[in-house]
Amino acid sequence: MVTVPPMTPTFLLGFTALAVLLYDSVWPEETDGSVLTGISVVGSLASLATAGWFLTADTGLVSGGMSLYADAVVVDGMSLFFTALFAAVTVLVTLASYDYFAGKGNRGELYGLVLLAATGMSLMASANSLATAFIALELASLPSYALVAFLKGDRGSSEAGLKYFLIGALSSAIFVFGISLVYAATGSLVLPDVAAAFQGGLGGRAGVASVGVLLIAGGVAYKTASVPFHFWAPEAYEGAPAPVSAFLSSASKAAGFALAFRVFVEGFPLGAAASAGIDWALLFQVLAVATMVLGNFAAATQEKVKRMLAYSSIGHAGYVLIGLAAISAQASTNGDVMGAAMAHLFVYGFMNTGAFLFVALAENWGVGRRFEDYNGLGAEKPFAAVAMTAFLFSLAGVPPLGGFFSKLFLFTGAIDAGLWWLVVIAVINSSLSLFYYSRVVRALWFEEGDHDLDSAPTALYAALAIALVGTVALLPGFGPVIEIAQEAATALFA
Amino acid sequence: MLIETLIGFAFVAALVTFLVPDEVAGRVGAALSLVPLAGTLWMWAQFDGSGNALTGGQLAFETRFDLLTLSGYQVQWFSGVDGISLPLVVLTAFLTTLAIVSAWTPIDSRQSQFYGLMLFMEANLLGMFTALDFFVWFVFWEATLLPMYFLIGVWGGPRRKYAAIKFFVYTNVASLLMFVGFIALVFGGLGDSIDTLSLPAVAMALDAGGNLGSFMGLAPGTLKLVAFVAMFVGFAVKVPVAPLHTWLPDAHVQAPTPASVMLAGVLLKMGTYAMLRFNFTLLPDVASDLAIVIAALGAFSVIYGAILALAQEDLKRIVAYSSVSSMGYVLLGLVAFTEFGIAGATFQMIAHGLISGLMFMAVGVIYNTTHTRMVGDMSGLADRMPVTVGILIAGAFGYMGLPLMAGFAGEYFIFVGAFHSTVIPSAPLFTAAAMFGIVIVAGYLLLAMQRTLFGPFSLDADYEVGRAAFHDVAPLAVLLFAVIALGVYPDLFFDMILDAIAPLVGGGA
């Protein structure tokens, strides 16, 4: 039997990035971009396939997890689950970029940056040491800054990139300061050792540790676009090229959560942390409420579709935060609710990416950005409009789409954990979201429009179709997704 | 696997119809819809179930396998039909085909999308009436909202956007309320005593009583009451029971005719079907406690709907409000809790589905040819379109409950059942009040008929009266035939309905 390194899915993303850059430097005159797109799509598909293979095959990775490089990195069910998610989003985004970036800049650089960021995200999901976590976070963030500002001639894009970079740099500083304080208090960066230090009692250093944990939570909140570090998100998503917005709001957000799940559960076990005065579940309850309320209410007042999606993406971060907020020290429900949060991120990876890809398609058609500009697209481009409708209703959580299942599992999980008041707030928010998502649906189908659309970007359409299948096919396929997610999450608490 | 095949086929047919060019979409949709129709008719011919699905009866065409685990409860794909669901399944397939044919004339834009949505709705309705696992059932239940939302919003009348959103918001909020009620009952009340969400399991666990726990500080009795009310209100919006009916006239009047046919013919039955399955089967004791309230609501709906219909000038609005009235009878029959009351209510669902479909289609044909629905604008139509008018009058008689038509059979059973009810205090009084509704129904229908159909012809000055095509009138004839067939020989369905109802009221197997 052939043995493959456990890190193969992550490596594949990284190597594909290098291959793209290599090809681009050897044959820089190639402007069509089809080879570059081919390399990127095949590479990320291979990563997706290996991650899926590791997850489903009996390789012993899912249950136990494998510690590598002196415990700096761990490969287990959760890291593979998230890597599969990042790879899937990368496939969609690179495929869509083939059309979107035609004549808008060097695709070699673009794909290289996207794939490097995906590598960093995959590493974030595997990080078992705070140092690795920081490096991975930077590896994911630095290419993202450049990606947001990728349209050099576009003032909005450059401005968004600058804002994103400044806030990102500040948040990184906060995060790394938090890490240093935790190191000062516990004497280690490796998560199990940090946890052991917490369990052994921190003595007089509990205060230092709690400030550290709080600052690390801040870093996580930044990456996941959660309140109070959410200010950059609408600006960056709005200004960035639409496929990049899709990438950031789906994959990058999920990476932030992957990091948060592991660091907080493994590094700061709740019982020990609480006895040291650090009740981070309470912190995340507050963050979850603030994030979903702010995100949804702000989304309801937007005039532009992309900005609405950006704020709704903040709202969804609020839902996923329930996965951390509903954790309690000795409960048996922890794995279920965190698994449900992971499954929601997985579904979100398809439906949210799909929604932004439709925005990309609209930009490609030369349709404006406001709700009214989408009037009548349903009659003119029925397939794309059906896909967009499915994404939006799925985001709103309407059955029988994927978003309904993931929200349902998330909410029932939280009720099982006793947080029914949080679920009431989430359900109210979810109903509100139906209002603003249906504004787009209304524009697409109910209004008359007058467009002159003749471009038929094949690759963008293909990406849209894949995202649609991902959103709809979860109806019969949700069982395996939620089971893998819950199994992976439960393993984290073992 | 027959049920799954039919549902799956309808989904595929929806997709195919969506993709074919507009010119042929109507024909393709109608042809494809014949397959589920033939399948359900075959199911009806081969039906070998007995008893009530929720009380351990013998299901026909049962399929069952595990899907996923939800908070420790096994969610299953669990489908099958008993004597209650089979007639509704047949009705769904039957009305879908006819509604698609009746859409050939009025729908003149984006046809492939229209027929695709109709078939998509059929698939979900078939799933809704056959699913016996709560979770799967709820998914289908909610998924029927989407096609209707688009059918009203895209192809509807001038105020279609308002009507579509009102419909969506009302029924969606109602569904959430129902969902919360059911989940609280199962997760909270039954707790660990069951491990699946299948309706028979829930019904039997509740029937066994005893181990119902408390939930969030609610005592078992209160929990049952709260769950019952939440579910009842959720379904009552769908039925609709006055005063929760306000979405219906808007939706009906704005919806295109074929969508109105489906809305009145099948979608309203979702509410009473669910009431029968959930409220009256799962929690019969609470239903008995609240019988007087529910009976009063039923009688109120009958009278109030009829009076509102009396005041309308728009033919379609008249038919729409009369649905409120007719569904009030169904509610009265259900709450009577006698064999004839519940079975009559179930039969009346079918009868009303056929008759209201017939009426909406006939009004649609008149509108296509005259471009008006206002009673005041028309007179003397009988001379110019004798066939359509003849069928319309026959349908109106069916609505009034003329003997030998399906409406008579349903209403008669309901009145007999309600009159002898032991759970409704002073049942004869409520029955008499509801029966008085028939007088008003006859009043407004006869009045409207007389003003629009007879007298001197007055239209051509303002409205050009065209000719109805054969495919406009054919569905009407088929429906009228079905109405008379069921009226003459109710045992086409009534036998199997009775068989499924008997266990609920303590009789039968």
Side-chain angles (χ1 to χ4, degrees), chain B residues 44-85:
Chain B
W44 172 68
Q46 299 289 317
F47 181 69
D48 62 347
S50 67
N52 188 299
L54 269 57
T55 58
Q58 159 78 45
L59 281 168
F61 308 103
E62 180 181 347
T63 311
R64 191 168 187 163
F65 52 87
D66 290 351
L67 280 181
L68 41 95
T69 317
L70 174 65
S71 302
Y73 293 89
Q74 185 64 48
V75 172
Q76 294 172 326
W77 174 273
F78 182 12
S79 70
V81 289
D82 65 358
I84 296 173
S85 44

Side-chain angles (χ1 to χ4, degrees), chain A residues 316 319 344 351 389-399 401 403-404 407 411 426-427 429-438, chain B residues 168 172:
Chain A
H316 276 272
Y319 303 140
H344 185 65
M351 59 190 182
T389 309
F391 300 141
L392 292 168
F393 278 133
S394 182
L395 284 165
V398 174
L401 299 155
F404 165 71
K407 271 190 193 172
F411 294 171
V427 168
N429 273 289
S430 203
S431 324
L432 176 67
S433 74
L434 188 58
F435 160 72
Y436 58 75
Y437 289 128
S438 65
Chain B
F168 197 86
N172 194 40

Side-chain angles (χ1 to χ4, degrees), chain B residues 333-395:
Chain B
L334 289 178
V335 75
F337 237 91
T338 53
E339 199 169 349
F340 268 91
I342 301 183
T346 311
F347 189 84
Q348 174 71 359
M349 291 184 209
I350 311 298
H352 178 256
L354 296 172
I355 299 174
S356 66
L358 175 63
M359 294 293 277
F360 274 116
M361 268 189 213
V363 172
V365 172
I366 290 178
Y367 180 71
N368 294 340
T369 51
T370 64
H371 311 291
T372 181
R373 287 193 306 254
M374 291 301 147
V375 172
D377 292 348
M378 296 186 253
S379 83
L381 278 180
D383 293 340
R384 295 293 283 269
M385 32 195 335
V387 179
T388 312
V389 165
I391 294 174
L392 179 68
I393 293 173

Side-chain angles (χ1 to χ4, degrees), chain A residues 139-227:
Chain A
L139 180 55
S141 296
L142 289 171
S144 305
Y145 305 142
L147 280 172
V148 170
F150 197 76
L151 299 177
K152 277 173 261 180
D154 184 306
R155 281 180 60 103
S157 177
S158 315
E159 191 185 324
L162 185 63
K163 280 182 184 163
Y164 187 26
F165 173 64
L166 289 176
I167 298 178
L170 177 69
S171 305
S172 290
I174 290 174
F175 188 67
V176 79
F177 187 44
I179 290 174
S180 68
L181 290 182
V182 169
Y183 179 72
T186 62
S188 176
L189 287 170
V190 181
L191 294 178
D193 297 349
V194 173
F198 267 92
Q199 262 142 1
L202 296 167
R205 288 156 298 164
V208 176
S210 63
V211 174
V213 170
L214 196 65
L215 293 179
I216 288 177
V220 167
Y222 150 74
K223 199 69 195 162
T224 56
S226 304
V227 173

Side-chain angles (χ1 to χ4, degrees), chain A residues 322-338:
Chain A
I322 293 177
L324 281 169
I327 285 172
S328 48
Q330 297 301 331
S332 58
T333 52
N334 288 349
D336 284 351
V337 69
M338 189 183 275

Side-chain angles (χ1 to χ4, degrees), chain A residues 280-340:
Chain A
W280 50 258
L282 181 67
L283 173 69
F284 282 114
Q285 284 165 19
V286 175
L287 284 190
V289 172
T291 306
M292 58 190 160
V293 170
L294 188 136
N296 280 300
F297 275 83
T301 58
Q302 297 306 314
E303 287 308 314
K304 292 177 180 163
V305 177
K306 210 167 161 189
R307 223 178 156 77
M308 178 277 282
L309 285 176
Y311 275 107
S312 92
S313 157
I314 296 177
H316 276 272
Y319 303 140
V320 178
L321 279 172
I322 293 177
L324 281 169
I327 285 172
S328 48
Q330 297 301 331
S332 58
T333 52
N334 288 349
D336 284 351
V337 69
M338 189 183 275

